[in-house]
Amino acid sequence: MATKEQQDIDPFVAMESLRAALAEVGIVLPSLSVDPASPALRLIELGRVRSDVAARLAVALQRGGIQ
């Protein structure tokens, strides 16, 4: 079950924050969007990416850690 804090996060703000953070490390997810079919769940669609982009994303996460 989602916590109150998780429920309060605007999915559009979260998506744009993720887009900006990825752009800082040179990663673009072209299909990044808010999932319109799940407004109550506030899901973010990450979409499909090429394997080289997935590998660069993994390296960026490993270098910066996850908070």
Side-chain angles (χ1 to χ4, degrees):
M1 174 130 188
T3 66
K4 179 67 173 153
E5 180 180 303
Q6 291 168 327
Q7 293 171 351
D8 288 342
I9 297 174
D10 181 287
F12 292 95
V13 172
M15 177 196 62
E16 288 304 328
S17 177
L18 178 57
R19 185 185 311 278
L22 290 170
E24 286 181 20
V25 293
I27 296 172
V28 176
L29 299 181
S31 301
L32 185 64
S33 64
V34 173
D35 182 356
S38 64
L41 295 176
R42 299 175 181 222
L43 297 178
I44 306 299
E45 177 67 43
L46 300 179
R48 295 168 31 177
V49 298
R50 296 186 324 258
S51 58
D52 63 306
V53 175
R56 287 185 18 241
L57 179 56
V59 168
L61 289 170
Q62 290 166 347
R63 287 184 181 159
I66 298 176
Q67 298 179 7

